[in-house]
Amino acid sequence: MSRQLEGKTAIVTGSSTGIGAAIAKRFAAEGAKVVTNSRSRERAKTVADEIENEGGTAIAVESDVTDHDEMAAMIEATVDEFGSLDIMVNNAGLTRIGPAESISPEDWRHVIDVDLTGVFFGSQLAGRQMIEQESGGAILNISSIMGGIGLHKRAPYCAAKAGVNNLTQTLAVEWAPHEIHVNALAPGFIKTDITDQTQSAADYTDEDIRNRTPLGRFGTLDEMTECATFLVNTDHYVTGEVLHADGGWTAYAWGSSGE
């Protein structure tokens, strides 16, 4: 491996499972010092221990992305431990499923709080630290193809991810003078718990998804980490971009190639 992130320090929120855990492990393998995160320190520590066992450097920090003070404390702990914050990945997310007319106020607020407000808190606090350091940095927000298209029974999630996409562009413009690159990664159908929930909500089978995807298959965690590594490696001219890693899903206008 090329060690593209050697000497960098990265926080990955929601990194106890799925795409977040895969990104944390990939960044460590690329040479970054990684802070894993979950609302459960035990779950975050499991991933940090796996990184350490593979020869990487990681610590686990418990925090709730919807709590501004807890997020500030995580960034402070990161800087205390490693001396800087160079990469912030806002990955933590969840969904609630149901017809729009039946979504409760509590479920609506919970999804927006985690999937959008949590991204803003993480970005804001990381941006402050990077501006203070005067050495630039990278912020990567994990969005979804649902941020640009509609899917029934997913109103809060789709709305939150659309907000993430616009927030990404706004922060990229605002913080460009500080050499802070802000981008988003919008995965398509990757085999994770949240994808399984999406399939259930939309009554999609695996075959339906393969037929609907021009590349004819699900994406992999390795493919997502490849995209994430590129986007946080700031040796490029890319900022304010929402990269759709979806096998052509959003480009496919007709619908399904199934017989």
Side-chain angles (χ1 to χ4, degrees):
M1 194 161 286
S2 58
R3 309 280 288 184
Q4 299 179 60
L5 305 180
E6 191 73 52
K8 303 289 188 181
T9 298
I11 294 173
V12 185
T13 68
S15 48
S16 62
T17 59
I19 291 175
I23 289 174
K25 293 173 185 178
R26 173 64 182 267
F27 284 8
E30 293 284 358
K33 295 163 285 189
V34 176
V35 177
T36 61
N37 160 260
S38 171
R39 287 177 296 172
S40 162
R41 186 177 184 279
E42 181 179 351
R43 293 177 65 189
K45 189 174 185 303
T46 296
V47 177
D49 288 346
E50 290 174 5
I51 290 171
E52 293 269 325
N53 290 338
E54 291 295 322
T57 302
I59 62 171
V61 178
E62 173 186 351
S63 69
D64 181 341
V65 298
T66 68
D67 188 311
H68 196 269
D69 290 342
E70 288 188 15
M71 291 292 284
M74 178 170 63
I75 289 176
E76 183 178 357
T78 300
V79 175
D80 287 347
E81 179 72 19
F82 296 127
S84 67
L85 174 62
D86 308 295
I87 298 166
M88 182 73 180
V89 181
N90 294 300
N91 168 76
L94 52 78
T95 190
R96 291 292 183 268
I97 296 168
E101 68 271 18
S102 302
I103 293 289
S104 70
E106 293 77 18
D107 280 348
W108 173 268
R109 292 189 184 102
H110 191 39
V111 174
I112 298 298
D113 281 351
V114 174
D115 292 10
L116 180 55
T117 304
V119 170
F120 175 69
F121 286 170
S123 297
Q124 180 191 56
L125 292 163
R128 285 180 188 172
Q129 179 63 35
M130 292 172 184
I131 290 168
E132 182 180 323
Q133 291 171 185
E134 299 184 341
S135 56
I139 296 172
L140 176 61
N141 300 322
I142 305 303
S143 183
S144 167
I145 57 172
M146 304 307 163
I149 60 176
L151 182 67
H152 60 285
K153 300 183 181 179
R154 295 296 291 279
Y157 186 78
C158 291
K161 294 303 186 180
V164 167
N165 292 350
N166 192 275
L167 177 64
T168 296
Q169 294 174 321
T170 300
L171 297 180
V173 171
E174 189 166 343
W175 291 340
H178 302 286
E179 292 297 327
I180 299 171
H181 294 231
V182 187
N183 290 292
L185 175 61
F189 283 90
I190 318 299
K191 273 297 185 183
T192 64
D193 289 344
I194 203 165
T195 301
D196 289 343
Q197 293 177 57
T198 297
Q199 286 184 244
S200 174
D203 297 322
Y204 288 159
T205 66
D206 286 2
E207 184 179 3
D208 290 332
I209 290 170
R210 286 191 290 268
N211 287 339
R212 175 63 177 77
T213 304
L215 285 183
R217 61 176 176 82
F218 284 78
T220 68
L221 291 175
D222 284 346
E223 288 169 328
M224 297 307 103
T225 67
E226 188 74 21
C227 294
T229 303
F230 165 73
L231 287 171
V232 302
N233 186 344
T234 55
D235 296 333
H236 53 58
Y237 197 50
V238 179
T239 194
E241 179 66 28
V242 180
L243 175 62
H244 288 82
D246 63 1
W249 178 283
T250 53
Y252 191 15
W254 183 250
S256 176
S257 60
E259 295 297 328

